[in-house]
Amino acid sequence: MPQPGQVLYVIVCASAAARDIGRLVPLAQDEGWTVQIVATPSALAFADVPDLERRTGRPVLSRYREPDEPKAPRADAIIVAPATYNTVNKFAQGIADTYALGLLAEAPGLGIPVVVVPVVNHALASRAPFRRSVASLRAEGVTVLPAPGGDGPHTTGVDGRETSPWALALNALKDHRLRL
Ligand SMILES: Cc1cc2nc3c(=O)[nH]c(=O)nc-3n(C[C@H](O)[C@H](O)[C@H](O)COP(=O)(O)O)c2cc1C
């Protein structure tokens, strides 16, 4: 469990699955996390920003702050969900041309646990660059869940329990933190 006030950054990329990311917020809050949503600039068109801001009580961040703006609180953990082909490859390459990627660029070096939930189709998941990116991130200690291979997140299981990738991501984060 997080300490009181610990902040989970949820980085949302530009996938149709971003519409569904609001489901992760109460799951994380129930575990005791304060949730801060960060969207890639392209994800703003996909996510329901007002709903995410209402659920978290915080503005969705999508750009680097101006030099005289206050710093956002430090992340204690990061989940990237949904993680696009584009952002996974850029994260692995160390590119920091969005605020989301800037946070990710530093996270492994700061010892911040990162869990990545790729949402990519079979064609993209099978590409050598993507497979190299996943291997390289894992070698740096980043947890990368298997790509669902398709059409976005699952929702709930037959017994009504949450089996979405978002719930799997929180479980993976718990495992990751236990290993630290
Ligand atoms: C309707 C739509 C759905 C998309 N869904 C995905 C997706 O599930 N996974 C993915 O990797 N890219 C998807 N894309 C492509 C990304 O939006 C595109 O690569 C974008 O540049 C990613 O930007 P980001 O990684 O900065 O969020 C989709 C594009 C559109 C128009």
Side-chain angles (χ1 to χ4, degrees), residues 2-157:
Q3 303 293 316
Q6 283 201 307
V7 183
L8 172 65
Y9 275 53
V10 177
I11 294 181
V12 182
C13 303
S15 156
R19 274 270 148 206
D20 195 34
I21 198 64
R23 297 168 71 101
L24 174 56
V25 177
L27 299 176
Q29 288 169 334
D30 284 351
E31 291 190 3
W33 290 106
T34 296
V35 180
Q36 172 65 59
I37 305 282
V38 174
T40 66
S42 306
L44 291 174
F46 290 81
D48 184 344
V49 172
D51 177 65
L52 292 171
E53 293 187 336
R54 185 183 54 74
R55 286 174 185 265
T56 61
R58 290 164 169 267
V60 170
L61 304 177
S62 59
R63 59 163 179 80
Y64 281 105
R65 68 187 172 96
E66 299 293 332
D68 54 357
E69 279 181 303
K71 272 189 174 178
R74 182 185 187 275
D76 294 292
I78 299 176
I79 290 176
V80 191
T84 50
Y85 177 82
N86 179 56
T87 288
V88 170
N89 288 327
K90 284 168 132 182
F91 178 20
Q93 292 293 317
I95 294 167
D97 64 354
T98 64
Y99 178 55
L101 284 164
L103 292 167
L104 292 171
E106 286 189 339
L110 293 171
I112 298 171
V114 181
V115 173
V116 176
V117 185
V119 177
V120 296
N121 61 27
H122 289 294
L124 296 175
S126 68
R127 289 292 317 285
F130 182 78
R131 287 187 281 115
R132 279 197 296 270
S133 294
V134 170
S136 142
L137 289 170
R138 287 180 176 154
E140 283 199 274
V142 174
T143 297
V144 185
L145 298 190
D151 306 305
H154 315 273
T155 51
T156 48

